[in-house]
Structure formats: C-alpha cells, structure tokens
Amino acid sequence: MTVQSSLLGPVTVDTTGLSSFIPEEAIASDLRETVDADAAMIHAIIAKSLGKERLLPRETATLLNVRDPELLQDIFRGAEQLKQAVYGNRIVLFAPLYVGNRCINNCSYCGFRSENSNCQRTTLTEQGLQDEVEALIDHGHKRVIMVYGEHPQYDAEFIAKTVEQVYRVKKGRGEIRRININAAPLDLAGFARVKEAGIGTYQVFQETYHQETYESVHLAGPKSNYLWRLHALDRAMEAGIDDVGIGALMGLYDWRFEVMGLLHHTIHLEERFGVGPHTISFPRIEPAQGSAFADAPPSGVSDADFKHLVAVLRLAVPYTGLILTARESVEMRNEVMRFGVSQMDAGSSIGIGSYAGEDEAEDKSQFELGDTRTLDEVIAELCRANYIPSFCTGCYRLGRTGEHFMEFAVPGFVKRFCQPNALLTFTEYLEDYALPATKKIGLELVEKQLAEMADQAMRERVEQRLQKIYAGARDLF
Ligand code: SAM
Ligand code: SF4
C-alpha cells in the first residue's frame, strides 16, 4: 500500500493480509454493559488480580467504569498491594536520549511533525552522540531509551550503528548497560538488524487504538497507516526481538477505550507468541510547539482519570512493567508510583544534544516536560519515600529476557535477584555520582534494606559484594 509523505512524496508500506486485532465493537459493548457492577463484583475482580491472574477484557471494563469514590479507593489499594507483593519497593530508572528530530510524518500532536516549520531539524553527529552519552554517564545513568523521528536517514542500519556506538562509550567507572529504542516501525529485516546491535526493548506506541481517530490525527507519512503500526511489534517478535513495549498517547480518544486497546494488544501478543509486552506506557499529551492539542486535547484525561487508568492497568496485567515518564508533574509521579509503576525516567532532557550542554530549546524538543528535577534530586526523593532506585540490567545481560514476567512468575525471584541487584547498582551510583546529602540517605536506606533481609545467606552475599563495590569493583550481578 502506498501512503503520501508530506516531505518525500509516496512511501510504500506492505500491509497485505493484515487485519485489525482490536475488536472495537466488543470493546464498546464491554464498556457499555459494565457500568452498574456492584461492590461484590468489583472486589471479586480485584481479588482475582491479587491472585496474579491477568484480567479479562470484561473485568477490566468493569473496573474502568467504577465511579463510586469508595470503590475507587479499593482499586487503588488493590493496585498498591499487588505492586508491593510482586515487585516490592524497587523502581528502575532510565533516561531518554533523543538522536534526531527529522520526520516525514505529520502527527498533529508532536513538535517534530513535518508540517512544523518552526522545528529546527537536527541529528546528532558521531561526536555529538559521544558527548551526550558521556554526559549521561557522568550523571550516573546506566539505562537509556534512544528516540528517533521517522525519516529515511534513520533506517535500521543508522539505528543499529548509533546503538552500537553508545554501547562502546566508557567514561570513568561508567557505561550504558542497556539500550531500549523508541523509533518508527521497521520491516522484518530492519528489526533483525537492530536486534543484532543488542537492543533491550523495542517500543512503538499505537497512540490511539481507535482507528478512525488514528486516521484523523496522523495526517501523512507511513505512520498514517494504522495497520502497519498495529502489527509493528508482531514483526519485531517475528524477527526475534522478545522484549517489546506498547503504549497509547492518552487524550486522543476516550482513555477507557485506550486501556482496553492496550489489553487486547497484550492478549494478541500473548496468544501469538506466548509472551505479552515487556512494558506498557501511557503518556498524556503534553503541549508541543505550535500543536493545536497543547491546551485542549480532544479527549482530556484529568488527574483523577490518570490515577484510575494506572491502577486498572496494574490490576489488569499484573506481570507487565509500567513506565511513567517525566511528562507528568512531580506530584503526579509521586502519587501514581504507588500503584504499580516499575520504571521511570529521571533527570531527563529531551532536546537534541541537551545533556551535553545545549539548551533544551523549544524549537528542538518534541514537547514540554512536567518533571525537570535532576537524577540526583529524584533519587534523594525516592529514598525519602523508601523506594530503592535501581539501575539493574542483570536479567537482560544474562540472557533472561522478559524480566517482569520472571519477577512475577518465578517464586522468590525478586528476593534472590532483583532486590540484591537493585542494592548493588544503587550503591554504585551512591559511590560514584551522588551528592553528599543523597549519598548519606542512600547508604542509610541500603543499610535498612540489608537489615530487613530475612535470608541470612543472601544478606551475607550482598554484604560481600557491597564491600567489593566500596573497594572499586563495578558491575557485579
Ligand atoms: N517517531 C517515532 C514514533 O512516532 O513512533 C518514535 C519517537 S516519538 C518521538 C515517541 C512518542 O512520543 C510517540 O509515540 C508519542 O506517543 C509521543 N509523543 C509525541 N508527541 C507528544 C506530546 N505532545 N506529548 C506527549 N507525548 C508525545
Ligand atoms: Fe514524527 Fe514520531 Fe513525532 Fe510522529 S510522533 S511526528 S512520527 S517523531
């Protein structure tokens, strides 16, 4: 099929034989028919989720329809309990790394859209990328997500080469140990090439699962083809990438429908490949340069709706990682972290070249950030709230993909691997990068966590490794 790109003319995407696996009518009827569920029904659904079972679409719709304030509190409590029981109090930190903002698509909500002539188009040079990565390492980061506009210049080879370059960078005692990607959908050969470069997760957000709305906001370029995008992660998995991330841009269409779309996408991947997505993202639309969506997204998602949707997602897919980004304010981030968010970005800068010193100029950024704290500030706050910041990349580097599933499915996995590795990677951060005040509260938290470890053999093992870290060893997992 040929689609029109606003910059390059016709572009071909092959969607032969593809159809939608999002049952729009069934979603609408599930949402329509579950508005009057009683408390007993809601409690039974929450209990099922606490038993670590993925919810059915109709059960999820039932939770999405809850409006009674007391029942909503029950949903929040359920999500919090599930998070504590399965994942504990770790939170994995990462940073976005924007590589280039050239783009042949015209997505109405994005500052990089081709029609935005005020956007200053830039792509990091080899030296520019080196500088960005060194700056990220100097801040203490170990995990990044590399972000690209969609443009022929950013083909699979370019993406793979930039990933390989980032893995090669060493600075002081640091390096980037896991690279995830957020880039346009590729074909099979393209996905295979970026897998070869050693990526962690490949993320592609569907933006909206509602096809008519999708077509009304994606005005030109390959992205205007709903099916090409919807099947992107099928192609990624066929090409051997087993960690994929899905997402919806909340505010384009009814958020309840989008949560149902994310669930159906999860079910589709589970049915086809035996494993669902590694992570789910649920960004709300933020103001973007010149975008008509800045002040009034077509389907606004209030703060109360946002909390509701995060808690329901946690309960609906208990074993999938949930990512919360710095698009949200500090207050909102602190609040919804409790409901089951497992990863968040910190110290983020979304201009091209902005970690290494350039201003995060509006004309080079995709949208505005809600949380502009430094990594060290985020870490200090997390410690005060008793969360353990983690930079762990152990599973991925031991070939154990689908780490969230392991955490969830293998009894004792979190206690044996995740918590110790979180403490070790956090201590590396405290030793190498933390400001003195952060180091003090961080080390106190590590001591407290060690004291609370019930398994004495495990505690001794972690203590031995901590001694090695204090003596200068790094990357123990
Ligand atoms: N160009 C690729 C694509 O569209 O898939 C990947 C990079 S794009 C910059 C990453 C994501 O940013 C998009 O999938 C979209 O959900 C999100 N995004 C775009 N504009 C946004 C806005 N104004 N507010 C919040 N998120 C936005
Ligand atoms: Fe380009 Fe992605 Fe922005 Fe769309 S969301 S305009 S594809 S960078």
Side-chain angles (χ1 to χ4, degrees):
M1 175 182 281
T2 298
V3 291
Q4 198 65 24
S5 131
S6 34
L7 287 180
L8 300 176
V11 178
T12 305
V13 288
D14 185 5
T15 54
T16 322
L18 299 185
S19 58
S20 177
F21 49 77
I22 301 298
E24 294 198 4
E25 281 180 23
I27 292 178
S29 60
D30 276 344
L31 285 171
R32 214 174 33 244
E33 290 163 13
T34 54
V35 280
D36 291 324
D38 59 18
M41 168 76 83
I42 307 293
H43 291 151
I45 297 171
I46 297 173
K48 176 176 173 183
S49 171
L50 288 172
K52 297 190 189 176
E53 260 190 84
R54 181 186 40 69
L55 298 182
L56 297 171
R58 210 169 173 82
E59 294 163 337
T60 304
T62 308
L63 296 186
L64 289 169
N65 271 321
V66 166
R67 283 171 172 82
D68 176 274
E70 276 182 28
L71 288 176
L72 269 177
Q73 288 307 318
D74 293 338
I75 290 178
F76 294 151
R77 265 193 297 275
E80 209 172 331
Q81 213 178 317
L82 184 71
K83 177 187 170 184
Q84 274 304 325
V86 178
Y87 302 106
N89 56 348
R90 288 163 305 121
I91 188 112
V92 170
L93 298 177
F94 67 94
L97 169 54
Y98 277 69
V99 181
N101 64 7
R102 300 180 75 188
C103 197
I104 56 169
N105 292 318
N106 197 5
C107 311
S108 322
Y109 44 81
C110 180
F112 295 167
R113 69 195 181 284
S114 55
E115 205 177 61
N116 181 13
S117 54
N118 291 323
C119 177
Q120 198 186 320
R121 307 288 164 176
T122 339
T123 305
L124 290 175
T125 58
E126 234 179 279
Q127 186 58 50
L129 185 57
Q130 177 82 18
D131 294 345
E132 282 293 88
V133 178
E134 288 187 3
L136 280 164
I137 293 172
D138 278 344
H139 292 161
H141 282 290
K142 297 283 185 283
R143 304 172 65 118
V144 298
I145 180 152
M146 293 174 68
V147 185
Y148 308 76
E150 177 157 7
H151 193 276
Q153 184 187 347
Y154 312 145
D155 60 5
E157 193 54 33
F158 176 88
I159 294 175
K161 286 250 162 65
T162 46
V163 167
E164 287 160 352
Q165 187 194 335
V166 173
Y167 275 131
R168 283 195 299 271
V169 180
K170 304 266 179 258
K171 180 91 194 293
R173 284 173 165 166
E175 72 270 297
I176 299 298
R177 298 176 186 161
R178 177 175 174 126
I179 300 172
N180 299 333
I181 296 291
N182 188 320
L186 302 172
D187 58 14
L188 277 174
F191 278 123
R193 174 67 185 98
V194 291
K195 178 187 162 57
E196 196 185 280
I199 62 159
T201 310
Y202 201 101
Q203 268 188 3
V204 175
F205 302 161
Q206 187 58 26
E207 320 299 7
T208 171
Y209 284 92
H210 188 254
Q211 188 159 358
E212 194 187 323
T213 304
Y214 184 95
E215 284 160 3
S216 73
V217 295
H218 297 107
L219 303 169
K223 192 165 168 182
S224 60
N225 189 305
Y226 177 87
L227 289 179
W228 176 248
R229 188 133 180 125
L230 189 64
H231 285 265
L233 296 174
D234 287 67
R235 292 194 296 283
M237 292 185 93
E238 279 169 44
I241 296 178
D242 35 21
D243 269 9
V244 298
I246 63 173
L249 184 57
M250 295 294 172
L252 294 174
Y253 189 64
D254 175 22
W255 61 271
R256 292 183 173 86
F257 184 97
E258 304 298 10
V259 172
M260 297 295 285
L262 290 165
L263 178 63
H264 279 282
H265 200 163
T266 301
I267 293 171
H268 167 80
L269 294 174
E270 276 176 6
E271 285 175 350
R272 210 171 148 213
F273 299 99
V275 51
H278 182 62
T279 53
I280 296 184
S281 303
F282 34 84
R284 282 194 284 187
I285 300 179
E286 292 298 322
Q289 194 191 42
S291 159
F293 289 65
D295 301 321
S299 298
V301 183
S302 70
D303 287 356
D305 295 338
F306 190 70
K307 284 184 235 168
H308 190 169
L309 84 82
V310 178
V312 173
L313 270 175
R314 175 68 299 142
L315 291 169
V317 285
Y319 44 80
T320 307
L322 296 185
I323 300 185
L324 179 68
T325 72
R327 292 172 178 88
E328 296 297 333
S329 67
V330 178
E331 297 70 33
M332 180 54 77
R333 299 231 289 178
N334 287 341
E335 190 153 6
V336 296
M337 236 159 37
R338 292 188 287 129
F339 305 151
V341 168
S342 44
Q343 297 188 24
M344 63 182 210
D345 57 334
S348 297
S349 208
I350 58 171
I352 316 270
S354 51
Y355 291 109
E358 273 198 46
D359 282 348
E360 195 165 297
E362 192 197 12
D363 60 4
K364 282 195 211 158
S365 295
Q366 189 194 7
F367 50 78
E368 290 171 21
L369 287 182
D371 180 353
T372 53
R373 291 172 298 172
T374 62
L375 176 62
D376 202 72
E377 285 166 346
V378 172
I379 285 183
E381 267 199 53
L382 286 172
C383 292
R384 277 185 218 108
N386 209 33
Y387 286 101
I388 309 169
S390 174
F391 295 92
C392 181
T393 53
C395 274
Y396 151 73
R397 284 153 80 232
L398 289 170
R400 288 192 304 245
T401 49
E403 81 216 58
H404 290 292
F405 185 75
M406 304 275 225
E407 291 172 6
F408 171 82
V410 182
F413 191 90
V414 169
K415 283 205 173 71
R416 262 188 306 150
F417 296 104
C418 310
Q419 267 165 357
N421 282 347
L423 291 178
L424 298 178
T425 54
F426 179 43
T427 303
E428 285 186 7
Y429 172 84
L430 295 172
E431 286 294 302
D432 294 342
Y433 305 104
L435 292 175
T438 307
K439 183 166 179 177
K440 183 168 179 296
I441 45 173
L443 290 176
E444 281 164 12
L445 181 65
V446 172
E447 281 303 315
K448 186 167 156 244
Q449 293 294 319
L450 277 175
E452 283 171 10
M453 254 185 209
D455 179 341
Q456 199 183 330
M458 175 61 71
R459 188 168 66 229
E460 283 168 10
R461 231 184 97 215
V462 175
E463 276 168 346
Q464 279 166 10
R465 290 186 167 204
L466 285 175
Q467 290 310 323
K468 288 189 184 161
I469 291 175
Y470 297 137
R474 293 290 174 270
D475 205 13
L476 310 171
F477 58 91

